[in-house]
Amino acid sequence: RWMPMVPMIRLLLVYASLRPIFDNTGELFTALGKPRIAGWILMAQAAAVLVICPPLTYFWGAQGAAVAVGMVMAVGVVLAYRQIPQYVNISFATVFAPPLASAVLGAVAVWTANQLAAVEGNVLRFLYQGFVFVIAFGAVLAVLQGRRLYREGKRFFLLLKGQPADGI
């Protein structure tokens, strides 16, 4: 009975995926003593929703509203990330390329697995696709950033034990 909601949830995944990324930039700007940057972007997003959402909702209903908030969040993320290099030395290619490549190849692996084996039942299909995606994503990320993952994992477990993790 929930199947009619699937297209809506897919559209809202754009917003749900981008919101934590945007929130992290807000925290970064606050830590840098520049909270107004995030505030201005949030105000621009609110204004954009007020302008874009009503016509999209009128013509396409709830799906139009979902598209509107996803678009506005995407623009907010772009605006925020354009500001970051003024304050922090960061390579966006180094940060985003490996997980993005892993996600794309994970999606390809799920598509391929679906072509090879048809799994009946929504729950089993979800578990099957999730397992395939996690394995493919993890394998690709390990190939692309294995040393970094090892270092960060080692650092994490040292910190969990209450040991200093400096120099790792």
Side-chain angles (χ1 to χ4, degrees):
R1 71 178 188 212
W2 290 97
M3 289 306 288
M5 289 300 298
V6 169
M8 176 66 71
I9 291 170
R10 286 181 178 159
L11 291 172
L12 287 172
L13 280 175
V14 172
Y15 175 86
S17 298
L18 294 174
R19 182 64 199 221
I21 295 170
F22 179 79
D23 288 346
N24 285 341
T25 62
E27 297 297 326
L28 174 65
F29 292 134
T30 300
L32 293 170
K34 305 285 185 184
R36 287 184 174 210
I37 295 171
W40 281 106
I41 294 171
L42 284 169
M43 286 193 307
Q45 286 177 308
V49 165
L50 289 174
V51 171
I52 295 170
C53 199
L56 290 179
T57 303
Y58 178 78
F59 289 109
W60 293 289
Q63 290 183 341
V67 168
V69 296
M71 287 175 15
V72 168
M73 185 53 64
V75 170
V77 168
V78 170
L79 290 174
Y81 271 83
R82 289 189 62 167
Q83 298 295 314
I84 291 175
Q86 296 176 35
Y87 306 100
V88 177
N89 183 17
I90 186 171
S91 166
F92 291 122
T94 303
V95 172
F96 289 112
L100 183 60
S102 298
V104 168
L105 291 173
V108 168
V110 168
W111 181 84
T112 304
N114 285 336
Q115 301 305 310
L116 296 175
V119 177
E120 296 298 322
N122 291 337
V123 173
L124 286 176
R125 188 177 322 115
F126 173 77
L127 293 172
Y128 172 68
Q129 291 174 345
F131 177 77
V132 169
F133 181 83
V134 166
I135 296 299
F137 182 91
V140 173
L141 198 58
V143 168
L144 295 176
Q145 290 193 313
R147 289 184 185 161
R148 181 176 179 193
L149 289 173
Y150 176 77
R151 264 191 335 270
E152 294 296 327
K154 187 175 179 181
R155 181 183 176 103
F156 176 75
F157 285 112
L158 285 173
L159 290 171
L160 277 180
K161 293 179 183 178
Q163 299 174 356
D166 300 336
I168 293 179

